[in-house]
Amino acid sequence: MRVSIQDACAQLKRGGVVAIPTETVYGLAAAMSDTRAVERIFMLKNRPQENPLIVHVSNASCVEEYAEVIPNGFDRLAQVFWPGPLTLIVPAKKNAVPTVVRAGLDTVAFRVPNQPLALQALTLAGPLVMPSANLSGKPSATRPEHVETDLGSDFPVLDGGETVCGVESTILLHRESRWEIVRLGALPADAFEHFLGYIPSVSHAKKGSAPLCPGQMFRHYAPMAKLVVDEGSRPETCEWVVGFSDRTYPKGCQVLCLGQSTNPNEVAKNLYKILRALDERGVAEAWVDMDFPSAGLWTTINERIRKAACNI
Ligand code: TXA
Ligand code: MG
């Protein structure tokens, strides 16, 4: 059910949960300080309790109230990239951020989204936790209809149309005096070089040690359809292909187009919509054209598709 910004904010202030557009994907919002509303988010999404939430705020100065320490470089990153698709993890002032939001960690993640409706909601309703507005494990929602498919047609959604980026924010954590990427996202690693003086490294979950980003442990972005992501095995025939609009595929294949193979922004924007389209059409198996570069935003696209295929 589509709701107005006034209605959305009124519901949030009353302890409700509302889907809100951001520039990356739709978020499932609740007031950060309302632990019952936050617990409802975990239930609605069927989200593991060990997976912490990102706190969204209307501007960088809000973070001071909740951060124990502001790490080196934070101000510069916030100044350059906020509002925008960047999440920064900082040590938490524990009594200011409910344990359930942090999933018991000593840190808390923050982001200022670059979407007018989201910013308006944050200004009117205060800090909001917002995980992606999909059932846990499914592709994120980039359109209001996606939220309604996952959470029901009566679920309140603030309609901001299709999201611009289509993939989630890049998450940075400050550790041993450097920022590192704990989740790839809409901002590629090299976007930070000029401002940090180095390209942040990408940290991967290591077997046997606690992951820096708990969400990386869980199944993600996956449609029901089986995705075949073996680059070497371009099929002679197959029923369904997830591919590019500027390429040709074997005759008889039905092609779902991610966009042009030269335009990673377009491909990222369409990715979850196409993964969801496979299930809407009842597709059992699709071959994914993975023949694309491995730099910049393509790195994120590659990681998302492999996760969706349960291949990493
Ligand atoms: O673009 C986005 O970031 C979207 C929109 C709605 O803002 N939100 C989003 O939230 O992707 P979610 O909950 O789907 O993913 C948040 C990720 C999870 O993998 C979680 O483990 C990680 O952020 N995270 C949150 N707080 C953390 C913390 N304190 N330390 C490490 N990882 C954290
Ligand atoms: Mg998510």
Side-chain angles (χ1 to χ4, degrees):
M1 184 186 19
R2 312 295 159 95
V3 295
S4 66
I5 179 83
Q6 289 78 14
D7 198 10
C9 292
Q11 292 200 40
L12 289 166
K13 285 185 190 164
R14 284 202 304 268
V17 177
V18 181
I20 289 185
T22 80
E23 79 280 37
T24 57
V25 297
Y26 274 73
L28 206 51
M32 181 206 76
S33 51
D34 188 332
T35 45
R36 282 182 64 177
V38 176
E39 278 161 8
R40 220 181 123 224
I41 284 190
F42 281 87
M43 270 174 43
L44 281 165
K45 279 188 58 108
N46 196 16
R47 182 179 178 102
Q49 293 287 335
E50 308 80 53
N51 197 3
L53 303 172
I54 299 172
V55 178
H56 295 65
V57 288
S58 60
N59 65 77
S61 61
C62 299
V63 173
E64 283 162 30
E65 200 180 326
Y66 308 105
E68 189 66 46
V69 188
I70 298 287
N72 261 339
F74 176 97
D75 290 334
R76 182 87 171 117
L77 289 168
Q79 187 198 8
V80 174
F81 294 101
W82 282 353
L86 174 64
T87 294
L88 295 171
I89 298 177
V90 303
K93 232 179 232 166
K94 286 195 195 160
N95 52 8
V97 185
T99 313
V100 58
V101 170
R102 298 179 275 111
L105 298 176
D106 297 342
T107 54
V108 55
F110 286 98
R111 174 163 117 77
V112 181
N114 188 13
Q115 211 286 358
L117 288 169
L119 285 170
Q120 216 180 328
L122 291 165
T123 306
L124 293 171
L128 300 172
V129 291
M130 274 201 255
S132 50
N134 52 282
L135 292 176
S136 225
K138 293 275 140 211
S140 300
T142 56
R143 290 180 161 196
E145 304 87 277
H146 298 162
V147 181
E148 288 161 351
T149 301
D150 281 16
L151 298 171
S153 53
D154 287 342
F155 197 83
V157 183
L158 181 57
D159 187 346
E162 184 159 284
T163 60
V164 176
C165 301
V167 291
E168 297 82 351
S169 60
T170 301
I171 306 184
L172 292 185
L173 168 76
H174 193 258
R175 214 166 57 119
E176 290 162 11
S177 73
R178 275 170 96 90
W179 290 93
E180 49 191 280
I181 296 178
V182 294
R183 180 180 72 181
L184 294 166
L187 284 172
D190 56 15
F192 304 103
E193 184 176 15
H194 183 70
F195 308 101
L196 292 174
Y198 57 92
I199 298 180
S201 59
V202 182
S203 55
H204 297 283
K206 289 190 189 75
K207 277 216 170 94
S209 62
L212 297 171
C213 178
Q216 301 301 84
M217 290 186 299
F218 304 108
R219 185 163 188 239
H220 261 99
Y221 322 116
M224 305 284 286
K226 178 175 182 238
L227 301 178
V228 180
V229 293
D230 178 6
E231 291 100 298
S233 70
R234 192 180 264 242
E236 306 257 299
T237 60
C238 72
E239 212 180 330
W240 288 92
V241 168
V242 172
F244 299 100
S245 51
D246 50 353
R247 294 204 181 140
T248 52
Y249 298 99
K251 232 177 150 189
C253 290
Q254 309 219 49
V255 185
L256 288 172
C257 276
L258 292 164
Q260 292 207 321
S261 65
T262 49
N263 188 345
N265 292 314
E266 183 190 16
V267 172
K269 184 174 172 162
N270 289 329
L271 179 60
Y272 294 140
K273 182 172 61 191
I274 296 298
L275 294 182
R276 282 175 173 267
L278 292 167
D279 288 350
E280 284 158 19
R281 289 159 200 234
V283 175
E285 182 173 314
W287 180 79
V288 188
D289 186 350
M290 300 294 285
D291 183 11
F292 50 76
S294 57
L297 188 55
W298 289 112
T299 316
T300 302
I301 294 165
N302 179 55
E303 188 252 8
R304 294 297 196 270
I305 296 175
R306 286 182 190 283
K307 275 228 154 115
C310 300
N311 234 19
I312 48 174

